[in-house]
Amino acid sequence: MSARRPGREARKGSDDPRDRHRAILETAARVICERGYEGASIQDIAEACGLTKAGLYHHIRSKEHLLLEIQNYGMDERLKACMEKNILLVTHGWSKEVTIILHEHATLTGDARAQINARKKRYVKFLETSFAEAIRDGRIRPVNPTVAAFAFLGMVLWIYKWFRPDGAIDAPTLVREMQDLLFGPLQAQPSPSPRKPAHAAGQRKRG
């Protein structure tokens, strides 16, 4: 498959600048994976995106900054992809073992219970660490990582109680809605420019 096809999608896709930027990052990531960072030139990436070099530089600062953005984007997608996989596991009929984990979690005793609880704790720690990294890097607004992790789990783990495969909401729609509900409000907001006190401005005018 030619690398140009994703580029045409990046150029002719959604009118939303964020969607176009995401498409450029995804296309650039594919080119860099194929050729390596040193082997992939800006010209290669621009052509794959269906852009000129000047057009690409309209969206990026430099090749190195593009690599940084790709890595940040990948980290952002890690939590969303994790939520998607969890939801699809719970909603698919073949994942009855997941329902067993959720519904029969207190049935095990002794070493067996300790073993499964330890695995659950490692998973919660993974979520906490992922949220903490996203907060530290400014990709989501500051929240308590533990609260965020259990909010994530609370949304996902209750699905098996109410979701019906033949119901009005299908699994892909559920994924999108839940991602929007959790991650939409967590998006980092740009810091407002500091405003100078009105009396100070008045003093300058009088001077």
Side-chain angles (χ1 to χ4, degrees):
M1 180 183 293
S2 168
R4 287 177 177 271
R5 185 173 182 181
R8 288 197 294 270
E9 292 171 357
R11 182 178 56 189
K12 297 180 180 179
S14 168
D15 288 334
D16 188 328
R18 292 171 299 180
D19 288 341
R20 289 200 301 273
H21 196 69
R22 282 194 293 267
I24 288 170
L25 296 181
E26 291 171 3
T27 302
R30 283 191 286 270
V31 174
I32 291 172
C33 280
E34 290 171 3
R35 306 186 184 189
Y37 178 71
E38 296 298 336
S41 69
I42 284 292
Q43 182 66 45
D44 294 331
I45 295 169
E47 288 181 1
C49 292
L51 299 169
T52 64
K53 284 178 67 174
L56 180 60
Y57 275 119
H58 178 73
H59 296 278
I60 67 170
R61 298 181 196 172
S62 65
K63 185 180 176 185
E64 183 177 19
H65 192 263
L66 172 62
L67 182 63
L68 173 62
E69 286 200 77
I70 290 170
Q71 293 185 21
N72 277 332
Y73 177 64
M75 291 172 127
D76 290 342
E77 293 302 301
R78 178 173 61 184
L79 283 165
K80 291 182 180 179
C82 186
M83 173 172 268
E84 178 181 12
K85 291 180 187 301
N86 275 268
I87 292 172
L88 294 179
L89 275 173
V90 175
T91 55
H92 280 60
W94 46 260
S95 62
K96 296 303 182 186
E97 64 274 16
V98 176
T99 303
I100 293 293
I101 293 171
L102 302 176
H103 191 64
E104 302 292 347
H105 64 93
T107 304
L108 294 173
T109 59
D111 290 342
R113 185 169 184 174
Q115 179 184 342
I116 201 68
N117 283 343
R119 294 196 66 179
K120 288 179 180 178
K121 287 179 181 178
R122 287 198 296 271
Y123 189 64
V124 171
K125 186 64 176 176
F126 160 77
L127 291 174
E128 289 177 325
T129 300
S130 297
F131 277 110
E133 288 178 1
I135 293 163
R136 185 179 64 244
D137 294 340
R139 300 192 306 276
I140 63 174
R141 65 183 181 85
V143 292
N144 186 301
T146 301
V147 173
F150 280 105
F152 177 109
L153 290 170
M155 291 178 70
V156 172
L157 298 187
W158 197 249
I159 292 172
Y160 84 102
K161 285 285 193 179
W162 62 266
F163 180 82
R164 297 293 177 269
D166 57 350
I169 303 173
D170 60 22
T173 300
L174 181 60
V175 169
R176 291 194 301 272
E177 293 288 339
M178 283 201 162
Q179 287 176 334
D180 286 346
L181 282 169
L182 181 63
F183 296 106
L186 285 176
Q187 288 184 349
Q189 300 298 320
S191 301
S193 300
R195 295 183 177 179
K196 293 183 172 59
H199 70 274
Q203 289 173 354
R204 284 199 302 272
K205 288 179 181 178
R206 287 194 297 271

